[in-house]
Amino acid sequence: MSSKEELLIVEDDEQIARQLKWALAEDYNLHLAQDGQAALKIVQSKKPAVVTLDLGLPPKPDEATVGMEILGKILECEPNTKIIVVTGNGLKENSLRAINRGAWDYYAKPIEIEELKVILSRAFHVSRLEKENLELQQEMETKARFDELIGSSPQMNEIFGKIRKVATSDVSVLVAGESGTGKELIARAIHNQSARKRKPFVAINCGAIPETLLEAELFGHEKGAYTGAHIQRKGKVEYADGGTLFLDEIGEMPLFLQVKLLRFLQEHIIERIGGREIIEVDVRIIAATQKNLLEALPAGEFREDLYYRLSVVTIDVPPLRSRGEDVVLLANYFMRKSCQEMNRSVAKFDPTALQAIVEYDWPGNVRELENKIMRSVVMGQGRVIRAEDLDLPFIYDFADKKQTLKDVREELEREFISKALSSNSWNVAKTAEVIGVTRPTLYDLIRKYDLKKQEMEMNDT
């Protein structure tokens, strides 16, 4: 089997195609296509890392329309392909249009073989780096993944430990934390790690259902129990029999329902609205709240006896702003997830985007981060996400700081590199790999900004 990298040449001129085959076959596993359909078949079967694409293809070789169409289809099929477009007659505007649509580079006819070899070499090098970076990030995510949760911070590792312990029992669990921190994912993780994992996980948001309907949603009703009850209907508690019932926003549950829920927790029996039958149900309860229920007890807004029934074990979920480097880990995960779902070829965040992600407080927590990353993938231009693509608030005091745009960029770059070095214990090789530059480049930046390590010797192993 050949160890050469796969290169596709899409060229309808037979003489040029032969010339390229003669010049490049020794270096690459070369595939030739004379039209768009043949090119797409090769892309689907061989998945070449790099494609050179003549924009003037039949049936309209004097225009760029067919080539532009094939460019879009290749990127839709294989978003990370490096496409180098070829134009003739000095039509540079077509090349620039192609770059805006996702092409990686361009060159013009007549072809200079040595120049083309340099462009190809650089394209394959970037492709390898992106692949290695992706594999590294996926490896980090695998190590930091617990069920559907992702995190490597001490706070999250502590939560993972609690989940493992409580999953082996049937005690009630109260998950407390700000909105968007992933409380339901924690509840699902407890369920998935427990002996009930093959039974239903049923979730209900107590704050999203009108008070008049919440009782029926939870406990069901008999036919004719009230106007509109035309049939018998089971409630969420019954549907969760044998499994787990997740009560989100439990602090919003009205007091009269708190009494009924308490009885169920004590006796494991329910009665449907309008019914007399006693129904035994085996359900584990996991509740979640963004309110401080202890503060609600003195005011009579939440029953004390129910609180202690629900909070046999309490898991406090930290906000995203206090989870350190988890925010970068999650941002990269959401970027790749969004790219896969939308067939986009975004490869990475640039330093300004990472800086913005790290510096922002994320009041909406993980949910807000996911939404902002999804937006940046949709709205961003090219293969790199920039700070402005994230649409994050940026406050800058121009009155106090008389700086140029160049000054601001350098200030952000200096702070970003300093934090990256600190996060990686001043391991230059590792830091260079994480932020996507070479070690010599990173050394130049360290000297440029006169960065000093304070307590450790620089480790470049």
Side-chain angles (χ1 to χ4, degrees):
M1 181 181 254
S2 172
S3 60
K4 296 178 183 178
E5 292 174 299
E6 307 283 338
L7 170 64
L8 169 60
I9 303 289
V10 186
E11 175 58 65
D12 65 325
D13 187 311
E14 292 187 9
Q15 183 176 351
I16 294 177
R18 284 196 300 271
Q19 179 189 5
L20 292 174
K21 183 176 180 180
W22 174 83
L24 301 173
E26 185 177 343
D27 298 320
Y28 303 105
N29 191 15
L30 199 62
H31 306 278
L32 297 174
Q34 291 186 317
D35 58 61
Q37 294 307 312
L40 290 174
K41 288 181 180 178
I42 294 172
V43 168
Q44 291 168 354
S45 61
K46 300 298 182 179
K47 303 186 186 307
V50 179
V51 174
T52 71
L53 174 63
D54 187 352
L55 291 178
L57 292 174
K60 297 179 179 179
D62 296 327
E63 301 178 14
T65 53
V66 177
M68 290 291 186
E69 181 182 352
I70 298 303
L71 168 67
K73 289 182 177 180
I74 291 175
L75 290 176
E76 183 178 341
C77 178
E78 294 294 331
N80 292 319
T81 306
K82 301 290 175 286
I83 301 178
I84 302 164
V85 295
V86 187
T87 58
N89 303 320
L91 295 177
K92 188 175 181 180
E93 63 272 17
N94 288 334
S95 301
L96 297 178
R97 283 173 53 212
I99 295 292
N100 287 333
R101 295 189 184 188
W104 188 78
D105 205 342
Y106 70 93
Y107 71 93
K109 295 180 180 177
I111 295 172
E112 295 288 342
I113 293 296
E114 293 307 314
E115 180 183 348
L116 176 59
K117 284 185 175 182
V118 171
I119 296 173
L120 289 172
S121 177
R122 193 171 76 248
F124 276 106
H125 177 67
V126 171
S127 179
R128 287 192 297 271
L129 287 178
E130 288 182 359
K131 184 178 179 181
E132 291 168 4
N133 186 48
L134 176 61
E135 290 172 351
L136 177 62
Q137 290 179 1
Q138 290 174 335
E139 182 182 348
M140 291 171 62
E141 283 167 17
T142 299
K143 291 178 180 177
R145 195 174 189 116
F146 185 89
D147 201 72
E148 296 179 59
L149 297 159
I150 294 176
S152 61
S153 62
Q155 300 98 314
M156 292 307 295
N157 282 323
E158 183 180 346
I159 287 175
F160 298 160
K162 283 188 175 181
I163 291 172
R164 293 186 185 96
K165 290 178 181 178
V166 301
T168 59
S169 68
D170 268 345
V171 299
S172 298
V173 179
L174 179 64
V175 186
E178 295 178 8
S179 177
T181 50
K183 296 186 290 293
E184 183 171 342
L185 291 181
I186 289 174
R188 287 184 181 275
I190 294 171
H191 174 78
N192 292 339
Q193 299 292 318
S194 74
R196 296 176 178 268
K197 62 184 178 182
R198 299 190 184 282
K199 297 294 184 177
F201 176 90
V202 178
I204 185 169
N205 189 318
C206 301
I209 300 172
E211 186 175 312
T212 54
L213 300 178
L214 184 56
E215 183 179 10
E217 282 291 316
L218 280 169
F219 299 105
H221 61 75
E222 297 291 348
K223 181 179 179 180
Y226 52 82
T227 303
H230 301 301
I231 59 172
Q232 181 194 75
R233 183 182 177 190
K234 292 181 180 181
K236 299 290 189 182
V237 175
E238 280 186 81
Y239 280 116
D241 190 25
T244 302
L245 178 66
F246 175 60
L247 300 172
D248 199 6
E249 300 303 341
I250 189 68
E252 303 298 327
M253 179 176 282
L255 285 170
F256 82 94
L257 271 184
Q258 292 181 29
V259 175
K260 195 165 183 177
L261 178 62
L262 178 62
R263 184 190 176 205
F264 166 67
L265 286 170
Q266 291 171 332
E267 302 177 16
H268 302 288
I269 59 173
I270 63 167
E271 294 178 28
R272 300 190 191 110
I273 298 174
R276 298 181 179 179
E277 179 186 0
I278 301 297
I279 303 169
E280 292 188 7
V281 185
D282 174 26
V283 171
R284 180 187 195 163
I285 299 292
I286 301 176
T289 180
Q290 59 177 312
K291 283 186 175 181
N292 188 327
L293 295 185
L294 281 174
E295 292 180 357
L297 299 183
E301 297 172 357
F302 201 82
R303 291 183 62 96
E304 185 175 4
D305 46 7
L306 177 58
Y307 171 78
Y308 288 112
R309 278 281 182 179
L310 290 171
S311 61
V312 177
V313 175
T314 299
I315 296 178
D316 292 308
V317 189
L320 183 57
R321 60 185 170 274
S322 68
R323 288 174 55 181
E325 292 301 312
D326 279 359
V327 67
V328 176
L329 192 69
L330 286 163
N332 280 305
Y333 167 75
F334 290 137
M335 181 190 67
R336 285 194 299 279
K337 179 184 175 185
S338 297
C339 289
Q340 289 172 359
E341 291 175 352
M342 302 177 197
N343 285 323
R344 296 297 178 95
S345 57
V346 176
K348 63 180 180 179
F349 298 102
D350 78 358
T352 64
L354 285 174
Q355 178 74 14
I357 288 169
V358 170
E359 292 295 329
Y360 186 54
D361 276 347
W362 299 108
N365 292 294
V366 180
R367 185 184 297 122
E368 182 185 12
L369 174 65
E370 182 174 12
N371 289 341
K372 290 293 187 182
I373 299 303
M374 185 180 298
R375 179 199 182 280
S376 71
V377 171
V378 172
M379 302 301 292
Q381 299 291 326
R383 307 173 77 89
V384 177
I385 291 176
R386 301 162 299 172
E388 51 265 39
D389 299 325
L390 294 165
D391 192 32
L392 295 176
F394 178 69
I395 301 172
Y396 190 80
D397 190 347
F398 289 101
D400 293 339
K401 295 188 177 183
K402 306 294 184 182
Q403 292 178 294
T404 66
L405 182 59
K406 180 175 180 291
D407 294 332
V408 175
R409 286 173 175 165
E410 289 185 347
E411 182 179 314
L412 288 173
E413 186 174 57
R414 185 185 192 284
E415 187 175 354
F416 172 75
I417 293 168
S418 178
K419 287 189 175 183
L421 286 164
S422 178
S423 298
N424 292 285
S425 302
W426 273 75
N427 185 314
V428 175
K430 183 178 178 182
T431 303
E433 184 176 31
V434 168
I435 67 175
V437 300
T438 63
R439 278 187 292 177
T441 298
L442 182 54
Y443 276 122
D444 288 341
L445 291 168
I446 291 171
R447 285 190 289 269
K448 175 182 176 181
Y449 296 120
D450 193 27
L451 297 175
K452 308 280 186 190
K453 192 172 120 167
Q454 304 203 340
E455 295 180 355
M456 308 175 217
E457 291 297 322
M458 185 178 294
N459 179 7
D460 186 25
T461 59

